[in-house]
């Protein structure tokens, strides 16, 4: 992408309305624009990252055997009356009346709808286990939306729903998602710690939140210091293996949100306990028959008997993740994207647009990198070098390739790694070879 | 995908509520489920196709230089008051009041919002031309939703918006989208005819609808019989070429919707005129300054003067396209997917699940096809051959590879092309070679 034609409205000033660094940086980098309180448009740079996060989430759900579908945003109130949650949900639910005066709502989650789909089609235990997920925009009418996409009203969530014939099956489905979540966050480049958590309005008795440590986190968290240097996926089993030993091993290392942590009865000696703040990026629940019983989602068992299915639900805040990544990975100059979700792989900086030789070398590098499948942000704008350096640092592209007339006279270009600031002068071909790896 | 675990609830009976064939077939093939009037969940098979259509639309927009972003579904009523359309839009607009009694709406289209984003960031003619698009769920509260996804209330639309400094630039932007649309529909495997059309509530004076001919079409259409055998992309220019000659050539071949066609003044002699029915799958508009003037979307021109930008908008009904494809491509046995959007490339039918040799050969073929990058629907279910043939015809996978014990004794399998019904017996390796092409 040539930045001269790319719609990336970066800001020089720090927006005053943004309280946390991810919100400030997303606004400054021209990634989002607020269109109403807590509602954002994703500008091209932001949307590129959002789609990459979404794709990693999708691939790991698929790898765990979950199947993707897509439920609509608008739901009927009647479904929520069946589960009893229509009145419970309160003002966070965006309630809507259509032209025929039917009561509708913008879905904040989908337990009811997926249970309805399930009961319409699945009649036998032989069709289980089943795990269905979608990645869809949800709405929660937060009284005071804030922190940019971290606590917005319209947000993108992946939610999966598992159906099993018995508690043992449901436990296995839960463990698969537990492993899938650890894999997902690791691929994105995040260290997410699973913590025992309250189940809240979703219900059930087994639940983990996946939490990224960050100073700006909304929740207080407590964990054993062993978490700090743990490679959580070391010796992890495959999806088809018995996951119980792995699950037991990981969950035996203490980690709990402040709601669950009881200082008087902490199982970890104070010297080994880390108290920190965190950002919730995922939440998984096993809630048994909480929805299947009232909604009559039953299947015929081996002996023909009617059995209400055991369910779980598994959420990842896809749009929120973008904020969490930035909170966990930035410096004074801007964002530092992990490679897996970076909007571009390489930022190519032309130090003197209009200089024939510099333009020629840049155009050649741009073509070669793109044709090798790398995504390149080519800064061919008519701007001062300082502005180009600042913007490229701000948008956080992992590699910067800097090309100018002075270097070219000596046959060299500069390659900079955004994360470390490490710079290296090297011949054009060597830089290319290094990037093409 | 093994059909034994794939969530694809096919129906044997024809659903009585469905009036048109695409709706019937989508329900029977387990592609969609209605969750409220005119609102559908996309089950895994349907969602696979939807995503393929969406990706083709995206690639052709990108190739035409449009840039993808994503605007939210929920919009503020105030924006629509600025353009004057809030009152005009009537009951088709789903109006919403949030917890703070702010008036919101579920966007039926995005001219206002994109104009607001534009005016916030673009200040100079040097930043033009610009074309921004998104692929997002929209809502129109149809009084009588019908025909399944063809006239649903919540629907997926690609809408692009172009911004130019003058009418000549706007014309060029329009022609680029005109060409991109022809390329998009051709890639999907559809013959779409651009027809002069009324502009309706979007406004403006230049507009084309892209129409697929189908007996069940909602609109009456008239066109010159030359359209019937025209290869519209023959000798088409590239995106960077002058598009005027191509545009003039294509639009000189008569085609008009019945609103625009005047029988008394038809430019085509009756013998050359085809009267048919069609389905609108795209609609493009050039509407000048209709939104930029009231909303003050102006840029500084070369001499510093304030110039309201010339705009156009360009829609493709992505979810509706799925219905249109099926209307245009099916037979008595089910759907016939064009290769480019088929949910799977190959349907692998195991005629005797449980037979060791048949299972072994099928598993091997399945692994080889998938590892070569083909998507395979492997019917390993414990069902009669007749049921497997019927389901595979119904879901319309382009190639069927049939493996049974009798054939294997002679070292052969059967390869069937869904579209033509053509069958061929051939050795396993030859079938594989043919599919891997």
């Amino acid at each position: 992408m040539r930045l001269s034609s790319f719609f990336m409205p970066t800001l020089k000033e720090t927006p005053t309305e943004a309280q946390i660094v991810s919100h400030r940086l997303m606004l400054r980098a021209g990634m989002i624009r607020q269109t109403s309180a807590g509602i954002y448009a994703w500008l091209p740079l932001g949307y590129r990252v959002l789609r990459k996060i979404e794709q990693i989430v999708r691939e790991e759900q698929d790898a765990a055997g979950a199947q993707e579908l897509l439920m609509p945003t608008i739901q009927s109130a009647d479904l929520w009356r069946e589960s009893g949650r229509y009145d419970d949900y309160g003002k966070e639910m965006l309630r809507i009346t259509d032209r025929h005066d039917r009561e509708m709502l913008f879905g904040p989650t989908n337990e009811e709808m997926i249970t309805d789909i399930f009961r319409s089609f699945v009649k036998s235990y032989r069709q289980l286990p089943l795990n269905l997920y979608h990645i869809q925009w949800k709405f929660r009418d937060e009284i005071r939306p804030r922190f940019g996409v971290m606590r917005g009203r319209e947000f993108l969530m992946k939610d999966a729903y598992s159906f099993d014939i018995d508690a043992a099956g449901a436990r296995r489905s839960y463990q698969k998602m537990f492993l899938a979540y650890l894999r997902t966050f690791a691929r994105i480049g995040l260290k997410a710690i699973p913590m025992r958590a309250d189940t809240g309005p979703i219900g059930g008795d087994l639940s983990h939140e996946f939490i990224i440590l960050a100073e700006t986190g909304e929740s207080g968290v407590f964990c054993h210091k062993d978490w700090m240097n743990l490679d959580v996926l070391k010796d992890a089993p495959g999806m088809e293996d018995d996951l119980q030993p792995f699950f037991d091993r990981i969950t035996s290392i203490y980690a709990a949100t402040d709601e669950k942590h009881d200082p008087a009865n902490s199982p970890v000696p104070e010297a080994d306990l880390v108290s920190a703040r965190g950002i919730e990026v995922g939440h998984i629940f096993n809630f048994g028959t909480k929805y299947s019983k009232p909604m009559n989602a039953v299947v015929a068992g081996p002996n023909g008997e009617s059995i209400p299915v055991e369910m779980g639900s598994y959420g990842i805040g896809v749009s929120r993740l973008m904020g969490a990544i930035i909170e966990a990975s930035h410096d004074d100059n801007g964002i530092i994207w992990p490679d897996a979700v970076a909007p571009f792989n390489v930022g190519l900086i032309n130090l003197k647009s209009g200089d024939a030789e510099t333009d020629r070398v840049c155009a050649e590098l741009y073509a070669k990198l793109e044709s090798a499948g790398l995504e390149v942000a080519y800064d061919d704008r008519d701007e001062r070098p300082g502005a180009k350096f600042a913007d490229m640092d701000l948008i956080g592209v992992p590699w910067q390739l800097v090309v100018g007339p002075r270097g070219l006279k000596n046959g060299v270009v500069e390659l900079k790694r955004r994360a470390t600031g490490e710079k290296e002068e090297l011949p054009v071909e060597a830089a290319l070879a290094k990037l093409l790896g």
Side-chain angles (χ1 to χ4, degrees), chain A residues 41-55:
Chain A
W42 298 78
L43 304 184
L45 187 75
Y47 195 47
R48 288 178 82 98
V49 179
L50 190 66
R51 282 174 52 81
K52 293 201 178 183
I53 297 172
E54 181 185 332
Q55 184 58 22

Side-chain angles (χ1 to χ4, degrees), chain A residues 111-404:
Chain A
E111 280 80 8
E112 283 80 0
M113 187 178 278
I114 198 73
T115 304
D116 181 50
I117 290 172
F118 177 89
R119 71 182 173 185
S120 308
F121 295 117
V122 182
K123 304 298 181 187
S124 161
Y125 76 98
R126 284 191 304 268
Q127 295 166 271
L128 304 182
L130 186 62
N131 187 325
L132 300 170
Y133 77 99
H134 74 161
I135 303 174
Q136 176 62 293
W137 292 89
K138 314 278 192 302
F139 202 96
R140 288 187 193 158
D141 201 358
E142 301 271 355
I143 190 162
R144 191 168 144 254
R146 59 190 187 279
F147 303 151
V149 300
M150 298 273 283
R151 191 176 277 274
R153 293 199 291 167
E154 187 169 332
F155 60 98
L156 186 61
M157 188 162 114
K158 185 285 299 177
D159 36 329
Y161 303 89
S162 66
F163 302 89
D164 283 276
I165 189 65
D166 55 24
R171 203 154 52 234
R172 179 163 170 75
S173 293
Y174 187 90
Q175 290 166 1
K176 277 189 162 185
M177 285 293 110
F178 184 90
L179 176 54
Y181 275 39
L182 292 176
R183 291 171 49 102
T184 301
F185 298 124
R187 267 186 70 183
I188 288 173
L190 289 174
K191 185 187 194 72
I193 302 178
M195 306 198 180
R196 282 299 293 258
D198 274 338
T199 55
I202 300 284
D205 56 3
L206 175 60
S207 175
H208 284 88
E209 286 182 11
F210 289 77
I211 296 210
I212 310 291
L213 300 187
E215 283 169 27
T216 49
E218 297 176 296
S219 333
V221 297
F222 298 87
C223 62
H224 194 286
K225 69 177 167 46
D226 284 357
W227 271 109
M228 296 303 106
N229 296 306
L230 183 70
D231 175 4
V232 73
L233 288 174
K234 187 163 175 286
D235 303 323
M239 275 297 163
E240 297 314 316
D241 297 334
D242 178 10
L243 303 180
Q244 189 73 49
F246 173 75
F247 182 77
D248 290 344
R249 174 161 61 85
I250 299 298
T251 55
S252 72
I253 313 169
Y254 188 72
T257 60
D258 52 9
E259 293 146 347
K260 280 281 184 184
H261 179 73
D262 175 4
N265 291 297
S266 172
V268 180
E270 196 156 350
D272 293 340
L273 191 69
V274 177
S275 158
R277 301 203 66 78
I279 300 168
E280 181 201 329
V281 289
H283 202 160
I284 63 180
F285 302 89
N286 176 334
F287 44 70
T289 57
K290 176 179 156 98
Y291 299 90
S292 58
K293 272 189 178 160
M295 295 185 68
N296 202 32
V298 299
V299 296
N303 303 313
E305 71 279 28
S306 250
I307 302 173
V309 290
E310 298 275 331
M311 292 176 58
S313 76
Y314 314 91
I316 291 180
V318 176
S319 46
R320 158 176 270 248
L321 255 177
M322 194 174 319
I325 295 168
I326 297 173
E327 292 293 332
S329 185
H330 67 271
D331 63 16
D332 288 347
N333 297 324
I335 302 165
I336 301 171
W337 290 115
D339 291 271
V341 298
F344 297 95
N345 307 109
V346 181
L348 173 62
I349 296 179
N350 182 330
L351 287 180
K352 198 165 183 185
S353 300
D355 176 75
E357 178 63 1
T358 311
D359 288 353
R360 189 191 63 75
V361 172
C362 282
E364 199 177 302
L365 283 167
Y366 181 50
K368 284 186 178 166
L369 290 166
E370 291 251 314
S371 72
L374 292 183
E375 293 169 296
V376 182
Y378 172 25
D379 197 343
D380 61 337
R381 296 174 302 173
D382 183 21
E383 293 275 357
R384 289 171 305 102
K388 295 188 177 188
F389 288 132
D391 270 355
M392 206 57 89
D393 275 357
L394 175 61
I395 69 172
V397 176
W399 291 101
Q400 296 177 9
L401 182 57
V402 185
V403 181

